[in-house]
Amino acid sequence: MKRTILHFDLDTFFVSCERLLDSRLNHKPVIVGGTGDRGVVSAASYETRAYGIHSGMPAKMARQLCPHAIFIKGNAGTYTKYSKLVTEIIQSEVPVLEKASVDEFYADLSGMDRFFGCYKYATELRQRIIKESGLPISFGLSENKTVSKIATNEAKPNNQLKIEFGAEKQFLAPLSIKKIPMVGEKTFRAFCNMGIKTVHMVQQMPVEIMTSVFGKNGRVIWQRSNGIDNTPIIEYHERKSISSERTYGRDTIDISKIRTTLAAIAEDLAFQLRRGGKLASVVTVKIRYSDFQTYSKQIKIPYTSADHHLIPLVQELFDKLYDRRVLIRLVGVRFSGITSGTYQINLFDDEKRTVDLYNAMDKIRLRYGSRSVVRASALGEGARSVGNFTNPFNGEPPIVLAHRTQ
C-alpha cells in the first residue's frame, strides 16, 4: 500500500498568535523575539521578509534593516495554548499524528483514499483549523515526509499543495538544493563550491560521489533529492537529554553571578528529571565567551536526579572549563544519558529525610511553579529568568521561547 503523508505548518506562528490578540498588528511588519540589542528574531511576519529579515537573526540587525517594524517580546504560554488547540483538532481527525515542533505536524493518511479523498479530507481539516483557531496554516500532501514538508514550504503562505504519486522527482528538480532538509548553510556552500545549486543536478549525480564527499549524510541527501524517504511517523518523542542556557544582558566576569545562574539551571533541570520519573548519567556545562568562542566539558556519573549531587558537579565542571578569565556571554547545562527511574537513597550520603524533603519541595513546585521553592545558592540576579512550567517528558517537542536571547 502506498503511503499518504500530510504535513501541516502554522504560518509565522508566533506572529499569527500575536495578531489574534491584537488585530492592529495585521498587515504590519511584526517581529517576535528578544527586544534588547542582544536578542534574536524568533518569528518575523511576511511583511518583513522583503527587508531580508529571518528567524535567528540578531534583533539589532533586524532593527537596522527594518526600523519601522513592531517588536514584541512574546509569551511562551500563549503559543503553547494555541499549539495545544491545533494539536487537539488534528489529533481528533487523523489516525496517526506526529507533532514535530510547536507549529509543525505530520499525519499518516495511508489507506484513507478508499473511503475519502485524502486531499479533500486534508482540505476540510485545514479549513476547520482556520475556523476554530483563527490561525493561518498550510499543508503539503505526498507519499513521504520530506516531499510533503517541501510542498508545504512551496505552498506558503496560507495555502496547500498536493504532489501526485510518481511526480516527486519532477516537483523537486527545479528547486534550490538548500530546500532539502539536512542542507544547512555549510553544506550549501560545499554544494556551491562544486557548482551544484539545484536538486536536479544532485538527481543526476551517482550516489557514490555524494557519499564520498558528504559521508553518510550524502546518501540521505541524494535519496531525499530523488523523493525517497521511508521515515515513519513517530507519535511519541522520547527525550534523550534536557538542557537550558542563559545569555547575560551584558558580558560578565562576576563569578558569583555565574555560579548562581548555573546552580539555578541545575536545580531546575533536576526537578524536571524527578517530575518525569527520569535519571541522568551525563552532566555537561557550556560557556560562551564575549568573543563567541564556545567551550563545553562533560562528566559521566552514576544515575541520579538529586540537586545536592548535580549542582556541585556542575560547579566543578565550570571551574575546570573557565580558564581564560575573559568576559562570559552565555552559560548552559545539559543532563543526558537519561533513563527511567526514581531517585534512590545513597546508602553512604543520604538519609530518608533527604528523600522526604525532595518530595515535599517537588509537590510545592508542581502546584506553584518550578521556582516557587529554591536553594539559597540558586537565588540572585543571575537566576531571575530560570524556570520551566512545561513537562519536557510529555512526548512533545520543546517550544522555542520567543523572549529568550541566544
Side-chain angles (χ1 to χ4, degrees):
M1 183 176 66
K2 290 182 179 178
R3 294 203 306 165
T4 304
I5 304 299
L6 172 65
H7 176 261
F8 274 120
D9 196 344
L10 289 157
D11 298 339
T12 58
F13 177 51
F14 293 169
V15 172
S16 298
C17 290
E18 296 296 340
R19 283 174 169 170
L20 278 182
L21 301 176
D22 187 354
S23 60
R24 293 174 298 177
L25 299 174
N26 292 340
H27 310 298
K28 293 182 180 179
V30 179
I31 294 173
V32 175
T35 53
D37 287 342
R38 312 198 65 167
V40 295
V41 176
S42 289
S45 67
Y46 285 103
E47 290 81 3
T48 66
R49 306 291 172 89
Y51 298 89
I53 295 172
H54 56 82
S55 59
M57 173 183 284
K60 189 174 182 179
M61 183 182 296
R63 281 194 185 86
Q64 293 172 348
L65 293 172
C66 188
H68 59 286
I70 302 169
F71 277 78
I72 299 173
K73 187 175 182 180
N75 186 299
T78 299
Y79 310 141
T80 302
K81 170 189 166 186
Y82 282 108
S83 177
K84 187 177 180 182
L85 171 62
V86 175
T87 303
E88 289 173 351
I89 295 171
I90 301 175
Q91 211 160 30
S92 67
E93 298 289 347
V94 301
V96 183
L97 175 68
E98 174 183 342
K99 187 171 183 179
S101 70
V102 70
D103 60 352
E104 190 178 4
F105 311 84
Y106 290 97
D108 193 339
L109 305 184
S110 302
M112 292 180 66
D113 256 331
R114 69 182 66 179
F115 306 107
F116 316 96
C118 285
Y119 183 70
K120 181 183 177 184
Y121 188 80
T123 300
E124 291 174 354
L125 178 55
R126 173 173 169 261
Q127 293 303 324
R128 182 188 165 190
I129 294 168
I130 293 171
K131 181 180 178 182
E132 295 186 17
S133 71
L135 297 168
I137 189 168
S138 301
F139 80 70
L141 188 71
S142 77
E143 68 170 348
N144 63 56
K145 293 171 78 172
T146 294
V147 177
S148 293
K149 181 179 175 67
I150 296 172
T152 303
N153 291 332
E154 292 302 297
K156 288 182 177 183
N158 202 23
N159 213 330
Q160 57 195 55
L161 180 61
K162 178 185 179 182
I163 308 302
E164 299 290 346
F165 292 113
E168 294 82 14
K169 285 184 68 173
Q170 183 182 349
F171 162 67
L172 295 171
L175 302 178
S176 166
I177 186 62
K178 198 173 183 180
K179 294 194 175 183
I180 299 295
M182 287 186 67
V183 179
E185 287 293 336
K186 189 175 180 181
T187 306
F188 180 63
R189 285 197 297 270
F191 273 117
C192 289
N193 292 335
M194 296 167 64
I196 298 170
K197 293 188 178 180
T198 65
V199 175
H200 177 64
M201 298 178 76
V202 175
Q203 291 174 349
Q204 293 179 311
M205 292 177 64
V207 66
E208 290 79 13
I209 293 179
M210 290 289 293
T211 306
S212 65
V213 176
F214 298 103
K216 292 179 182 179
N217 288 345
R219 177 177 291 274
V220 178
I221 293 171
W222 182 87
Q223 289 174 335
R224 292 183 174 183
S225 298
N226 282 276
I228 303 168
D229 179 15
N230 298 317
T231 309
I233 298 292
I234 302 170
E235 294 186 74
Y236 183 88
H237 288 263
E238 185 70 38
R239 291 288 291 272
K240 298 179 180 179
S241 67
I242 57 173
S243 62
S244 186
E245 298 175 353
R246 288 297 175 272
T247 301
Y248 294 109
R250 182 177 297 175
D251 296 343
T252 182
I253 202 171
D254 186 340
I255 298 299
S256 176
K257 181 179 179 179
I258 296 168
R259 285 184 177 280
T260 299
T261 306
L262 290 171
I265 293 174
E267 182 182 33
D268 183 67
L269 292 178
F271 165 63
Q272 306 303 335
L273 287 174
R274 294 194 299 274
R275 177 163 69 168
K278 304 292 182 179
L279 302 170
S281 63
V282 179
V283 177
T284 307
V285 172
K286 168 184 171 182
I287 62 173
R288 179 172 296 152
Y289 291 107
S290 55
D291 58 4
F292 285 87
Q293 292 292 316
T294 306
Y295 300 90
S296 63
K297 190 176 283 289
Q298 70 178 37
I299 185 173
K300 189 164 180 61
I301 61 171
Y303 284 105
T304 185
S305 59
D307 305 354
H308 68 286
H309 293 318
L310 291 167
I311 292 176
L313 288 169
V314 166
Q315 303 286 16
E316 183 182 330
L317 285 173
F318 170 73
D319 290 338
K320 293 178 179 178
L321 196 58
Y322 184 48
D323 57 3
R324 289 182 59 194
R325 296 300 179 261
V326 177
L327 291 169
I328 286 180
R329 176 185 178 88
L330 171 150
V331 293
V333 178
R334 184 175 78 245
F335 295 154
S336 54
I338 290 176
T339 187
S340 297
T342 54
Y343 174 61
Q344 301 292 319
I345 297 176
N346 185 307
L347 293 176
F348 301 100
D349 301 327
D350 301 344
E351 299 177 2
K352 183 179 181 301
R353 65 179 183 178
T354 304
V355 180
D356 292 339
L357 176 61
Y358 277 124
N359 288 336
M361 289 194 301
D362 289 349
K363 283 181 181 178
I364 296 173
R365 287 167 174 156
L366 286 170
R367 185 169 182 178
Y368 298 106
S370 59
R371 293 289 293 168
S372 55
V373 178
V374 296
R375 291 172 175 269
S377 61
L379 276 173
E381 183 186 352
R384 286 177 183 171
S385 60
V386 175
N388 186 0
F389 287 88
T390 60
N391 181 2
F393 300 104
N394 60 7
E396 293 191 2
I399 186 170
V400 178
L401 298 182
H403 58 272
R404 178 175 161 193
T405 55
Q406 301 295 322

